Each structure stands twice: as C-alpha cells, then as structure tokens.
Amino acid sequence: MVRWIQHPLIKEEKIEARLYQQLVAANVLKKGNTMIVAPTALGKTIIAALVAAERLKKYPDSKVLILAPTKPLVIQHEESFRDFLKTTVTSLTGAVKVSERLERWNDSQIICATPQTIESDIIAERYSLKDVSLLIFDECHRGTGSYAYVFLANRYNSQADTPLILGLTASPGGEEERINHVCQNLFIDEVVVKNEDDADVKPYFNPIEVEWVKVDLKTEQLAIKSHLDTVLKNRLKGLKRMGVISSIQNVSKKDILRAKGKVQNRISRSTHPPRECLLAISMLTAVFSVLHSMELLETQGISNLYSYFHRMRKKKTKAAQGLFKDKNFNNAVNLTSKAHEKGLEHPKLEKLLEILKKAVKSDNQVIVFSQYRDTVNQIQEKCHKEGIKAVKFFGQANRETEKGLSQKEQKEIIKAFRMNTYQVLVSTSVAEEGIDIPSVDLVVLYEPVPSEIRMIQRRGRTGRTSKGRMIVLITKNTRDESFYYSSIHRERQMKKQLSGRYEKAEKPLIANNEDVRVLDREKTITDEGKKHIVYVDHREARSGVTRELSDLGVKVEAVNLPVGDYQVSARVAIERKSTKDFVSSLIDKRLYKQSQELIENFPNPLIILEGQDLYRSGLNPNSIRGALASLAVDFNLPIIPTRSPEDTAAMIHRLVLREFDKRSKDVQIRTEKKPLTLHEQQLFIVESLPYIGPVSAKKLLEEFKTISRVFNASKDELKQVDGIGDKIAENIREVIESKYIIDEPYLSENQESLLSEKNKPEKELRLKKEKRKGLEHK
C-alpha cells in the first residue's frame, strides 16, 4: 500500500513517502547548505519540494527561488512545484517582459527561473533576494567560472535574511578540485550522495543495463588511416626536432593547443619573431587538422571526413596549403573521395540500423546521441530510407548549410516524440541536460565521450519508469576505446571522491565558508548608500564586468548606447575590448571606425583592453603594436590594460569615483550619436543632389563657398567644377527648379534616359500619364 507525505503545504496524495527522500530533506534542513548527488529518477526534485515546503512553513512570508539552466527545464520545475505544493508558483525567463517579471516576483512564493534572468534583474535592482529563504541550484555542477550561478550565490549569501542553499546534480565531476570549486562557489557545506546500490534506494531504482558493441574499420578506412598516420608522424617528428613537443606518442588535440600557446607566447615577446616560431605555428595547425581528420575517420565515417576535406581545400592558410602539397595527405583525400563515391560508410552506421530496427519492432522509443550534426543528419536520412520514424534534434546555432532549431521548433519535436509520432530521436549533445525529454527504453551513443558528466547525463535519459538500456558503439583500436575507458575511470573517481566526502559529512567541506560570508556581508553594508550609476550598452549587460560593478556598489543601467560600451559621465565613455575582440576588430577594420566615433562624441573617451594573451592570436605582433600606436598617437585615445572582467570592473569603478567628484549626480545619457557639425551638415545637403558624392560635394562648396550659391548656380557655372558634366549639371538644375508633385513621384526626362531598357514600359506609361494631365489642365 502506498503511503503519502502529510504536510500542511503539500497537496494530498501527491508525494509518495520514501524514507531516503525524507531523510535527505531532513539532513538539508538540519545541516545547512547541501549538494545532493543522485542519479536521474531518484527524485531530487521531490527532495527539493520537501525542503521548500518546510522552509515556507517556518518562514511564511518568504520566497523559494529555483534556478535551472534552460527555459524548458524552468517550465518543467514550475509544473512540478505547482502540482506538489499549496502555494503560488510562477516562472521567470528572458521571454517575460521586465514589468511582468516584477509583478510575478511580488505575487508568487515559489519562483522558477533561468539564472541569467535573475542576474539581470538583481543587477538592475528590480528586486532583491532578501526574502528568499531557500535557493535551489538545479544542475549545480555548472557553478564554476563566470556562470551566473556563482554571482547569484554570492549575492544571495550577502542579501538574504534566512539563507539556505540546495544544489542538485547527477554528476558534479570526477576531479576533487572541480568538486571543491563548485562547493566553494555555491557555499556548499555538505555533500549527500545517493547511489542505486544503497539499500534504501534499491527498491525504487530501475537498473540500467550498459552494453558496448565493437566494430572494425573497413579495409578502405584502414588505407586512409595509414596515409594520415604517416602525415602525422612526419610533422610530429619535425616539431620534436624543433623542441616544440617532447614526445610523438599519444599526442592529443589538447597537447597541440598547449604547445601552440607556448609558441605564440614566444612570438609575442619578439619584435621580429623567429622564422622557426612561425613555421612551428603552421605545423601545429596542420597537426591539429590531421588529428581531427583521423577522429572523423575512426569515429564518424567517410561522409564527415569528405566534407571536412572539402572545407579545408577552401582555406588559404599556409597550414592547409602545405597539407595538400603532401603526397600522403593527397592520397588520403583521393581515397576518401573514391570511398564517398561508392557510398561507403562507417560500420557503426550499419550496426546502428540493426539495433534501431529491433528496437522499433519491439515498439521501443530510442534516443541516439552523436557529437556531430553531420552524423545526426546522416543517421536521420538512413532511418528515413529504412522506414524508421526518426527525427533530428540539435541546437539553435546556425551553420553554413543549415539553420539551427528555434526553441519553439525544439518544443514541437519533443512533443511529437512524446506522442510517439517519432520512435527515434537523433540528437547532438543538446539533449543531454536541460531539456524535458521523456524517459526512453534505449539510449544509443554513436561514439563514447571522455566526460563522466556527459556520460551520466546521457545514461539518465533511460530507466526512469522501467528497466533501462544503453548501448555504446565503439570502433576497435581507435580513440573510441580510450574515450570510453576514460569516462568509466573518471566516473569511478568521482564516486570515490564523493563517498570519501560523505563519510566525513559531519565536518564542513569548506572550512572558511563562514569567514567568506561575514566578509561579503561587511562589504555590502560598507557599500550601502554609495550608489553611483554607470550606463552600459545592452550587449554588455551580461558580461562579468556588470556583476562585479554591482558587487562594488555601482548601479548598472542597461540602455542602447550608440557609441561605446560604458558611459561613466557626460565626458567619459569606455569601449571595452577583450584581446580576442581587439584582434578581430583590427582585421575587419571596425577598430578605427569605433575609435573615430568615440573621439567625435565624447571629450574624454578611452579604451579598456582586457586580457593577457593579446599576441597569441596568430596575427603578426607588429601589426598589433602598430594599431596600439595609431590609437594612442593618431586618435589620442588612452588605452588602459586590464587582466580580467574583475580588473575591468575595478578600473571602471575607480573612474566612476573620480568623475563623481567632478560632476553632478545626474548623468545625461547619450541615446544617439553627436549631431553633425556645420561643415558635415553642409556636405550632407550638397551630397543629396543627384550623382553627387563626397568628393564632388566638397569641390562644389569650395567653388561656390555657400550652399545657397551652389543651388543658385547656372548649368554652365556648375560645369566649371571638375567632375560635373553636362548631364549631371542638367540633373541638378532640374531637381532644384522642378515643381514638387504630391500625388505622384516625378522623374525628369533626363533621369529617365539613365533607366535601363527593362524599365522602358514603366517610363512610357509615366510619360503618357503626364501628357494626359497636361491636356486636362489645358
């Protein structure tokens, strides 16, 4: 007989009374900030609902905030909590208007939201986290780096009257350092781990059977691989001789990127970079391309490799051109083309179709995961040919030949899959987490991934309501095997780390958490009442800089700034450029245009150059130095270097304090660029004449001195100006002298003579109309 949870805020017969869930919830309430690590389907959301109900019972006037990384997951939580609890529940995402978000926040006790939305509202001070008695981070393993979870945990810790943090995840990571990092960022003191092997969990857990199916590369693929191996070895030997790498055995893409960074660092310190360094960069780029080619060949198939070679041939880089001059590389390319013409594909594809046919026959629903969108397309096409009802599912990013799926399209696909319109969902990594995909009977991985987090997330898509299955396709003696064993090792390591922590659960994980909290509260109190305003362009509003400014006591208002990224005062505007953006804006020539607009619109503009890898872009360091010199000397623009978004915020804060002493508190914000000067307006008016560009406009004004004299000049006088011929002079006089006709656009005969033959019928019709009007007038 099923027993149900009895609680004044929990709806009757809604939550089954499972002892392990009740014990974990009680542990959170007793011990404080907690991370719950448990496989999918063990009811982490129910534990969160139990904790939320008790917090709202204890603090009736408080709120509970649940954060999830995507909109579909936010809506899923909203539906769950509305179904479980007797209180007001709402959701806040970027799709909700600002005014409505404020209304929903004030009117609801439980708020489910994306972290970016809450972050934006908190920085803009639309509401605060003061009354939030419980903050839940779903998929809390994301709480690293600059992700919004980190900022919100800090702000909540300093603002809330009765703070309690609950983190939920199936996979926090395999490395102790990463787990520590997440705990520290989110102020987690306790980690509670529940596994499928725990005695109190076993009765409720559906086991997942994992099977790996191995295939051999075909003869044609082995021949291509042999040529690529030779290309790779030759270049690795060259790099070893140059001292760029220490070994040619088991070199990965990460090793190559690390070596490339070192060489670029060497180049950045040179006025005249050594030829060997430039050669090494080219060779490292080529090695990376060969490694990627081999990965596609071994794990994906001929079609993907053929497409990649086709894209490479279009590149004009020395690395790409050098590869195509290599005999072995060309042999690999030619063999790939022949195999593609024959329709040869990876043996995985054949094996996958066998698996899917059996599954579909048994009326099973299946998710197939693949790393590459090309492979997703290929699998879906093959399924269609075999009569298998399959649909492809990928992210919102557009590609050269294919548009991404909008969120609306993604929802429609998932809905159709849930309704059994499709039996197979073929997806990229986008379906791993954060999307409300129903439980399936079988998950197939087209290739293993080396990340234990992603393997756990993918496995969690099956076995929710009944026994689940996962099949991993592996190509023998390739990186598939190393990736698979790497993920298994990392998952074991994660469980080992977590089990060690769980045994010591009586002690706080982060000893100095309380000290951090006290310092944060003191900082907030100190900054209270010292609010200054900085206007930030809406494109910069979600950068790490705005978070730091908010923490420093600066009020940040997002607006549309026509010039610059930040406006500190009527005098000072700032263009913030990361080192990557600086280089790209130099290449596409945006840099000088933006600099010109800054000096034209503000008395004291400046550029903040953020980052420490300016010379690692591959662009010649002297080109970068030349650009910096031009900005400083030709544009008279100060350039302030900063190391990070935090350093940038500190610099802007210092500028704010300096400006605050020199101006009134009200800043007049620029909503448009500075008006044109008299000189620019005169040129603009004359340029509006037919066939007159900037050069001719300048010549006309230099000749006639004023606009009125230009407009009063006769046809013969206009022709005296260099570049003004008979027809142009006649056109100018016609435009100036012709009567304005309200009801119909007028085209002079001289202008009509410039029309192409294809417009001749329109011209004749217009002339007939004009003639008819003339007769009527008479």
Side-chain angles (χ1 to χ4, degrees):
M1 184 179 173
V2 177
R3 290 175 57 248
W4 304 98
I5 294 286
Q6 303 292 318
H7 191 280
L9 290 179
I10 296 175
K11 292 180 180 178
E12 287 75 16
E13 298 189 2
K14 279 295 178 181
I15 297 179
E16 184 183 349
R18 294 185 182 181
L19 184 60
Y20 75 89
Q21 291 174 342
Q22 291 169 280
L23 289 173
V24 172
N27 190 73
V28 174
L29 292 163
K30 179 184 175 185
K31 296 188 176 180
N33 297 354
T34 303
M35 177 196 293
I36 299 173
V37 182
T40 307
L42 280 194
K44 294 188 291 292
T45 305
I46 287 174
I47 295 170
L50 294 176
V51 175
E54 193 57 30
R55 291 297 279 182
L56 291 177
K57 180 186 171 188
K58 187 174 181 180
Y59 304 104
D61 297 326
S62 70
K63 297 179 185 293
V64 171
L65 176 58
I66 302 134
L67 299 175
T70 64
K71 291 178 188 176
L73 203 49
V74 166
I75 302 305
Q76 184 182 332
H77 282 308
E78 181 189 13
E79 289 169 355
S80 297
F81 277 80
R82 186 175 283 126
D83 188 43
F84 293 148
L85 303 184
K86 300 174 183 175
T87 187
T88 48
V89 183
T90 192
S91 62
L92 300 181
T93 68
V96 182
K97 291 179 182 178
V98 171
S99 56
E100 191 179 339
R101 291 208 298 263
L102 183 57
E103 193 177 319
R104 288 189 186 187
W105 177 274
N106 291 330
D107 293 346
S108 304
Q109 268 205 302
I110 293 185
I111 298 111
C112 307
T114 52
Q116 295 83 1
T117 304
I118 299 297
E119 178 190 55
S120 173
D121 288 347
I122 293 298
I123 289 173
E125 299 182 5
R126 296 186 182 107
Y127 44 77
S128 80
L129 303 175
K130 187 176 185 296
D131 298 328
V132 175
S133 61
L134 174 64
L135 176 55
I136 299 170
F137 293 103
D138 193 18
E139 309 292 359
C140 68
H141 56 269
R142 288 174 172 248
T144 59
S146 60
Y147 194 66
Y149 278 4
V150 181
F151 167 81
L152 290 171
N154 271 289
R155 185 54 61 92
Y156 177 66
N157 191 54
S158 64
Q159 280 187 348
D161 289 336
T162 54
L164 177 64
I165 291 173
L166 176 60
L168 309 174
T169 181
S171 46
E175 298 169 4
E176 185 177 6
E177 187 180 351
R178 180 186 173 89
I179 299 169
N180 267 332
H181 202 47
V182 172
C183 289
Q184 194 162 6
N185 287 341
L186 303 186
F187 299 91
I188 300 294
D189 298 322
E190 299 287 327
V191 176
V192 176
V193 184
K194 297 305 293 181
N195 288 316
E196 55 270 30
D197 299 325
D198 293 348
D200 55 352
V201 170
K202 266 189 176 181
Y204 305 101
F205 188 77
N206 297 309
I208 298 170
E209 178 191 327
V210 180
E211 176 188 354
W212 51 97
V213 175
K214 295 191 175 185
V215 298
D216 292 297
L217 286 175
K218 293 181 178 178
T219 308
E220 293 89 340
Q221 288 172 295
L222 290 170
I224 297 167
K225 187 176 184 296
S226 174
H227 288 296
L228 290 176
D229 278 333
T230 305
V231 175
L232 183 63
K233 282 176 186 174
N234 289 341
R235 279 161 176 73
L236 289 176
K237 283 177 182 176
L239 288 168
K240 188 180 178 184
R241 281 195 300 271
M242 295 167 72
V244 176
I245 57 175
S246 57
S247 171
I248 65 170
Q249 301 299 319
N250 300 319
V251 178
S252 67
K253 286 182 181 179
K254 279 186 180 178
D255 297 328
I256 296 303
L257 290 173
R258 203 176 293 119
K260 193 173 181 180
K262 288 179 181 177
V263 176
Q264 285 173 334
N265 194 35
R266 169 76 177 86
I267 291 172
S268 70
R269 299 197 303 268
S270 309
T271 309
H272 300 289
R275 184 177 176 277
E276 291 79 10
C277 286
L278 299 174
L279 178 62
I281 288 289
S282 182
M283 287 177 70
L284 286 163
T285 305
V287 166
F288 192 89
S289 296
V290 176
L291 285 170
H292 188 63
S293 302
M294 293 178 76
E295 184 180 329
L296 292 176
L297 175 70
E298 292 176 355
T299 70
Q300 303 303 307
I302 295 295
S303 292
N304 299 59
L305 183 59
Y306 176 80
S307 299
Y308 182 62
F309 283 153
H310 183 68
R311 291 195 296 272
M312 272 185 71
R313 204 181 282 278
K314 293 179 181 178
K315 293 181 179 178
K316 304 297 179 186
T317 61
K318 287 183 181 179
Q321 290 173 351
L323 281 173
F324 280 101
K325 288 175 184 175
D326 187 305
K327 184 181 175 183
N328 278 294
F329 190 79
N330 266 318
N331 285 339
V333 172
N334 292 333
L335 287 172
T336 301
S337 296
K338 287 177 183 176
H340 183 67
E341 285 171 15
K342 284 183 187 177
L344 184 78
E345 285 307 339
H346 203 288
K348 279 184 186 179
L349 194 57
E350 298 168 20
K351 186 60 70 176
L352 174 64
L353 289 171
E354 285 178 27
I355 292 166
L356 293 180
K357 283 176 185 175
K358 284 182 184 177
V360 167
K361 207 170 184 180
S362 303
D363 210 25
N364 289 337
Q365 278 201 296
V366 187
I367 294 181
V368 180
F369 282 105
S370 175
Q371 290 281 85
Y372 298 93
R373 201 187 284 187
D374 285 343
T375 306
V376 166
N377 287 332
Q378 188 182 17
I379 293 169
Q380 194 263 345
E381 285 170 16
K382 289 285 183 184
C383 285
H384 184 69
K385 286 177 183 175
E386 295 291 335
I388 298 170
K389 293 185 289 182
V391 62
K392 55 187 180 181
F393 189 78
F394 43 80
Q396 298 178 41
N398 294 329
R399 291 193 355 170
E400 192 178 334
T401 55
E402 185 177 36
K403 281 187 72 175
L405 293 173
S406 67
Q407 206 156 54
K408 184 182 177 183
E409 289 171 322
Q410 287 180 345
K411 283 180 182 177
E412 287 170 356
I413 290 169
I414 297 303
K415 185 179 178 182
F417 184 59
R418 187 181 280 111
M419 300 292 290
N420 273 337
T421 306
Y422 301 103
Q423 288 178 281
V424 178
L425 185 77
V426 189
S427 176
T428 58
S429 58
V430 73
E432 287 173 1
E433 68 170 31
I435 290 176
D436 182 19
I437 292 177
S439 178
V440 295
D441 305 290
L442 172 65
V443 169
V444 183
L445 307 192
Y446 195 78
E447 70 285 298
V449 286
S451 162
E452 78 288 356
I453 293 177
R454 295 177 63 193
M455 285 290 277
I456 291 168
Q457 295 285 359
R458 290 181 176 193
R459 192 169 65 230
R461 292 299 179 185
T462 184
R464 296 189 185 187
T465 54
S466 59
K467 185 178 178 181
R469 283 178 69 215
M470 183 171 84
I471 294 175
V472 186
L473 297 173
I474 297 173
T475 314
K476 291 180 190 173
N477 304 316
T478 67
R479 62 204 68 222
D480 268 356
E481 288 188 340
S482 60
F483 282 177
Y484 182 66
Y485 291 119
S486 170
S487 68
I488 289 175
H489 170 74
R490 289 166 71 92
E491 187 173 344
R492 284 176 184 158
Q493 190 70 16
M494 181 189 79
K495 287 181 177 178
K496 186 179 176 183
Q497 295 287 349
L498 291 170
S499 63
R501 286 173 170 278
Y502 190 40
E503 288 166 6
K504 301 171 186 175
E506 292 303 316
K507 295 181 182 179
L509 295 171
I510 310 299
N512 61 346
N513 261 2
E514 282 303 320
D515 299 333
V516 173
R517 289 185 189 125
V518 171
L519 288 172
D520 279 355
R521 284 184 181 277
E522 285 176 356
K523 183 180 77 172
T524 306
I525 292 164
T526 305
D527 287 339
E528 196 66 38
K530 292 186 178 179
K531 290 282 181 187
H532 307 307
I533 297 177
V534 167
Y535 293 94
V536 57
D537 186 67
H538 66 93
R539 289 163 294 189
E540 275 278 310
R542 286 187 176 175
S543 70
V545 176
T546 56
R547 298 172 189 165
E548 292 299 320
L549 283 170
S550 179
D551 280 342
L552 289 166
V554 177
K555 185 176 180 182
V556 179
E557 285 199 18
V559 293
N560 289 321
L561 290 179
V563 177
D565 294 319
Y566 298 85
Q567 188 178 335
V568 170
S569 68
R571 303 186 321 137
V572 178
I574 301 162
E575 179 74 28
R576 170 188 173 242
K577 287 203 173 292
S578 66
T579 51
K580 184 179 178 182
D581 184 38
F582 183 87
V583 172
S584 66
S585 64
L586 175 58
I587 292 168
D588 65 18
K589 299 182 174 61
R590 280 182 295 121
L591 181 63
Y592 298 118
K593 184 184 176 186
Q594 289 171 333
S595 301
Q596 186 66 39
E597 288 176 344
L598 276 172
I599 61 174
E600 284 176 355
N601 284 274
F602 291 93
N604 299 101
L606 59 95
I607 289 177
I608 286 182
L609 186 52
E610 182 185 295
Q612 297 174 289
D613 56 350
L614 181 60
Y615 296 101
R616 293 186 186 178
S617 62
L619 195 65
N620 191 305
N622 288 332
S623 299
I624 295 170
R625 294 183 185 112
L628 292 170
S630 176
L631 293 175
V633 177
D634 300 334
F635 290 88
N636 199 25
L637 260 176
I639 303 164
I640 300 177
T642 60
R643 294 164 297 175
S644 61
E646 293 80 8
D647 195 13
T648 299
M651 178 54 69
I652 294 173
H653 183 229
R654 184 51 46 191
L655 287 164
V656 170
L657 294 177
R658 288 186 83 257
E659 286 299 293
F660 186 75
D661 295 334
K662 297 178 181 179
R663 61 176 168 87
S664 67
K665 292 184 181 180
D666 296 325
V667 180
Q668 186 177 0
I669 211 52
R670 284 270 166 82
T671 56
E672 56 186 36
K673 294 178 184 177
K674 189 178 177 181
L676 296 173
T677 62
L678 177 62
H679 173 77
E680 289 168 335
Q681 290 180 67
Q682 288 170 324
L683 284 170
F684 180 78
I685 292 168
V686 176
E687 280 178 43
S688 67
L689 292 169
Y691 312 110
I692 299 298
V695 175
S696 295
K698 192 175 180 183
K699 287 177 182 177
L700 283 165
L701 284 166
E702 285 172 353
E703 174 69 26
F704 297 106
K705 307 304 180 190
T706 67
I707 292 174
S708 64
R709 287 180 181 174
V710 172
F711 278 48
N712 289 327
S714 67
K715 179 180 170 182
D716 290 334
E717 285 172 332
L718 289 169
K719 285 165 63 179
Q720 299 302 313
V721 177
D722 184 36
I724 308 294
D726 192 63
K727 277 196 172 182
I728 292 176
E730 192 175 331
N731 260 287
I732 290 172
R733 291 312 315 158
E734 281 180 337
V735 167
I736 292 169
E737 294 170 3
S738 297
K739 185 180 178 182
Y740 175 63
I741 300 172
I742 296 172
D743 61 342
E744 193 173 340
Y746 177 75
L747 196 65
S748 71
E749 287 185 23
N750 191 47
Q751 287 170 316
E752 287 200 3
S753 68
L754 299 173
L755 290 172
S756 62
E757 282 298 310
K758 69 178 181 179
N759 288 330
K760 199 170 180 181
E762 291 180 22
K763 170 188 166 184
E764 290 173 354
L765 182 63
R766 189 178 288 108
L767 288 171
K768 282 179 182 177
K769 283 183 178 179
E770 288 173 5
K771 190 174 180 181
R772 187 170 64 249
K773 282 189 177 182
L775 290 170
E776 287 171 359
H777 180 69
K778 285 180 182 178

